[in-house]
Amino acid sequence: MQTFVNKIAVVQAEPAWLDLEAGVIKTIEYIEEAAANGAKLLAFSELWIPGYPSWMWALNFANYHPINMKYIRNSMAIDSIEMNRIRAACSENKIWVYLGFAERVGSSMWMSSCFIDGEGQITNHRRKILPTACERIMFGNGTGDSLMNVISTPLGRIGSLQCWEHLQPLLKYHTYSQHEQIHVAAWPAIFPHRGHEPWAFTAQAATVASQLYAMEGQTFVLMATQVMTAKGAGMIGMSTEGKGFDEAYTQIPGGGSSHIFGPDGKILAGPMAPHEEGILYADADLGAILDAKAYADPVGHYSRPDLLRVVVDREPKRPVIYLEEQKMPEHPSVTDDFSKVVDSLSRSSGLDVISANSME
């Protein structure tokens, strides 16, 4: 068991809504700040670039279609110039970064994330395996390769899940089984309970889910959330007057609930005020994981695989598959077939039939 200590950090901030260029600049600024303060790992929120599309939960299609189009145009490709600038910042500052972003491939969208190492290399790229409810209007499903969401690094084994992926027991269990030590729990802006909506949609619920993940998996958890201001809400077409789901946004500025939890569930850092922007820091002593797992390792001595097991299909399923051509048995050439016909005609008629191949 590794026992070294690294400083880990999580951003709580407002995204640069619908603005890819501004989002890249803000991302690099936080990378530089965290590195200057000694952080070795920095985590951003779900869909940090170009912000979480909250309007999907509040507006009808006719209203949000123009916003969707601007959102798609300001999303980011994994191999883009913008991503390369962020990678360069990681390399220059020798810091690992978890980045949540709306990924566009062609005309299709995914809720994506990646880890970038201190040399600027993308070491893990995954997509949310099933967007939640209204998110499915815009985003596609992740494939089997996104289940492999924990990687070995000089900082320990680090992994991630997005938002309500923390409410999927089998997905969580599979992540635990990869012996994760530091986990990023990426969320959008989330608001306190207002008394009429399902409690599971609230900041309190997201915090409980993230803290429970730390206790179940015995991992350090970086819970990353977004902030929304009145100006930001207006930029994405949200009302602050309290109509239906928009009532959440009467609590702005707000939405932040970032924390860092220890592997026994203890709060190590946070929360900030819901409207506050900044970075939380904590020391991750991986030796503490041994203490947490001593009595209840859910994928080790506290499991019963003879009774309960998870079956996993990691193979990506693609919409088009090209099968290799099967080797066909050899057939006579057309010329050979024609020669046989000529010979047959000659024998049956008693005449000399001259083929084109015999003519000079």
Side-chain angles (χ1 to χ4, degrees):
M1 171 68 69
Q2 295 157 296
T3 58
F4 55 83
V5 178
N6 280 301
K7 181 177 284 189
I8 56 177
V10 60
V11 172
Q12 174 175 297
E14 183 169 34
W17 303 105
L18 307 176
D19 189 333
L20 176 57
E21 175 61 22
V24 171
I25 292 172
K26 192 166 188 175
T27 302
I28 293 173
E29 289 174 348
Y30 275 118
I31 289 172
E32 293 172 344
E33 179 182 343
N37 287 318
K40 299 301 182 183
L41 170 64
L42 178 65
F44 290 90
S45 56
E46 181 181 47
L47 299 180
W48 164 250
I49 293 177
Y52 181 85
S54 299
W55 61 86
M56 287 189 170
W57 296 86
L59 306 179
N60 63 45
F61 181 82
N63 288 337
Y64 68 60
H65 178 70
I67 304 174
N68 274 0
M69 294 303 99
K70 187 172 183 179
Y71 188 87
I72 292 170
R73 291 186 178 97
N74 282 273
S75 60
M76 187 165 62
I78 192 73
D79 57 353
S80 63
I81 293 173
E82 292 80 12
M83 178 63 82
N84 288 342
R85 288 165 57 193
I86 296 171
R87 292 172 57 185
C90 294
S91 177
E92 291 166 6
N93 291 278
K94 303 304 177 187
I95 187 172
W96 283 70
V97 166
Y98 168 90
L99 182 67
F101 64 103
E103 179 187 6
R104 180 161 61 91
V105 178
S107 299
S108 293
M109 298 286 291
W110 282 272
M111 304 178 75
S112 296
S113 66
C114 65
F115 280 106
I116 307 171
D117 70 14
E119 301 300 323
Q121 300 301 309
I122 295 175
T123 58
N124 182 261
H125 169 222
R126 77 178 295 267
R127 296 165 175 170
K128 193 171 187 177
I129 64 167
L130 183 65
T132 303
C134 301
E135 295 169 357
R136 297 173 205 161
I137 295 170
M138 180 183 293
F139 299 104
N141 297 337
T143 50
D145 49 348
S146 290
L147 294 174
M148 306 313 296
N149 55 330
V150 178
I151 56 174
S152 183
T153 80
L155 310 179
R157 292 187 60 76
I158 59 177
S160 67
L161 292 172
Q162 298 182 53
C163 198
W164 269 21
E165 289 189 318
H166 293 89
L167 302 188
Q168 295 194 19
L170 301 184
L171 178 60
K172 289 197 302 178
Y173 191 81
H174 180 255
T175 307
Y176 301 154
S177 76
Q178 298 173 67
H179 305 293
E180 187 181 36
Q181 295 171 302
I182 301 173
H183 176 79
V184 178
W187 298 83
I190 44 178
F191 296 86
H193 194 235
R194 301 180 306 285
H196 62 82
E197 81 284 18
W199 192 83
F201 284 89
T202 65
Q204 295 98 318
T207 303
V208 167
S210 300
Q211 190 171 26
L212 177 61
Y213 190 98
M215 289 187 286
E216 280 188 344
Q218 292 93 37
T219 71
F220 289 89
V221 171
L222 295 163
M223 178 185 178
T225 59
Q226 297 178 7
V227 171
M228 184 180 292
T229 61
K231 179 180 179 181
M235 292 174 65
I236 60 175
M238 301 300 299
S239 168
T240 59
E241 299 176 357
K243 299 177 181 179
F245 263 100
D246 283 46
E247 288 184 19
Y249 306 101
T250 63
Q251 302 182 54
I252 60 174
S257 186
S258 296
H259 290 77
I260 301 177
F261 300 105
D264 60 352
K266 180 181 179 180
I267 297 175
L268 302 181
M272 302 180 188
H275 65 277
E276 185 179 357
E277 293 190 79
I279 304 176
L280 293 172
Y281 299 91
D283 290 329
D285 178 359
L286 300 189
I289 294 174
L290 184 62
D291 294 338
K293 286 188 178 291
Y295 303 104
D297 183 351
V299 294
H301 62 85
Y302 203 55
S303 64
R304 285 295 304 274
D306 54 323
L307 300 178
L308 299 168
R309 300 185 299 280
V310 174
V311 178
V312 179
D313 183 356
R314 301 181 300 179
E315 187 69 24
K317 306 301 187 294
R318 307 299 184 190
V320 176
I321 298 174
Y322 294 96
L323 300 177
E324 291 184 359
E325 290 186 3
Q326 297 181 356
K327 187 175 181 181
M328 302 298 291
E330 294 184 2
H331 292 287
S333 68
V334 173
T335 302
D336 290 342
D337 285 347
F338 182 70
S339 298
K340 290 178 182 178
V341 171
V342 170
D343 291 342
S344 176
L345 287 173
S346 298
R347 287 193 300 271
S348 63
S349 64
L351 300 176
D352 289 330
V353 179
I354 300 174
S355 71
N357 290 340
S358 67
M359 294 178 64
E360 295 184 358

